[in-house]
Amino acid sequence: MSDASTQTKFSNPAPLGLAGFALTTWLLSMINAGWFDGDAMGMVLACALAYGGTAQAIAGVMELPRGNTFGATAFLSYGAFWWSFALFVLFLHDKVPPAFVGWYLFLWGVFTFYMWLGTLRAPRALQMIFLALWITFFLLAAGEWTGMARLHQAGGYTGLLTAVLAFYLSAAEIINDSQQRTVLPIG
């Protein structure tokens, strides 16, 4: 038995995980949308390893003592996604056929789809992130399978939308908590 004065309050790691996801997703999506070419990939990889990968994984571990299975699964998985993406680009990019890359993206889309189903009772802002993200993965997979640049570009633009939504929810959680009221609604 514990009283209120001795209970431990864990900080909310979601704003950190969402920000790491959003920033890294935005950078990669600018390349996918055609705003920048592959010469910009170095910055994406740096962010993928440090912020998208590591900071998200830290956020996922921080969700565990809070008992948040969804948050832990999401942040640890997408943190691992960014690490796997960076390792792929650095070491394997020219050695893997596009169709296999399509399967990689498609399976991340499948994972994201059932995670989206897990958000259907969560705030609308979180639902929209996962909705946009599974569509992003499926568009990018289709682009790899068909070689159609327009599908890849559409995946890039949907990725940009995903990043904006994730930045919004990260900001809302920080601002609403610090103001102790709803400044940015999350639905």
Side-chain angles (χ1 to χ4, degrees):
M1 188 155 60
S2 66
D3 64 37
S5 65
T6 61
Q7 285 185 331
T8 303
K9 182 179 186 232
F10 294 105
S11 62
N12 180 3
L16 168 65
L18 288 163
F21 171 78
L23 189 137
T24 313
T25 300
W26 181 270
L27 292 176
L28 178 59
S29 295
M30 287 194 297
I31 295 172
N32 288 337
W35 295 3
F36 291 90
D37 64 20
D39 292 342
M41 188 59 75
M43 183 58 73
V44 175
L45 297 178
C47 283
L49 293 170
Y51 203 33
T54 303
Q56 269 194 101
I58 290 168
V61 169
M62 291 173 67
E63 290 285 12
L64 294 170
R66 295 168 55 93
N68 184 351
T69 302
F70 182 91
T73 302
F75 290 133
L76 285 166
S77 295
Y78 294 113
F81 165 81
W82 284 116
W83 270 89
S84 72
F85 175 79
L87 292 170
F88 166 72
V89 172
L90 287 170
F91 301 112
L92 305 169
H93 187 261
D94 296 332
K95 298 175 181 136
V96 179
F100 203 75
V101 174
W103 279 104
Y104 168 81
L105 295 166
F106 176 78
L107 292 171
W108 276 106
V110 169
F111 169 75
T112 304
F113 180 80
Y114 74 73
M115 292 295 286
W116 171 67
L117 293 176
T119 69
L120 295 181
R121 291 190 177 195
R124 294 279 186 255
L126 187 62
Q127 291 175 28
M128 296 306 294
I129 292 166
F130 280 86
L131 173 65
L133 184 57
W134 71 255
I135 293 169
T136 299
F137 277 124
F138 288 156
L139 286 168
L140 293 172
E144 291 293 328
W145 286 331
T146 65
M148 293 176 61
R150 290 283 184 212
L151 286 171
H152 192 81
Q153 189 176 30
Y157 280 103
T158 311
L160 291 168
L161 173 62
T162 303
V164 168
L165 294 167
F167 269 132
Y168 177 86
L169 184 54
S170 176
E173 295 215 8
I174 291 288
I175 294 166
N176 294 349
D177 182 62
S178 70
Q179 298 298 311
Q180 297 181 358
R181 64 186 176 87
T182 299
V183 176
L184 297 174
I186 62 173

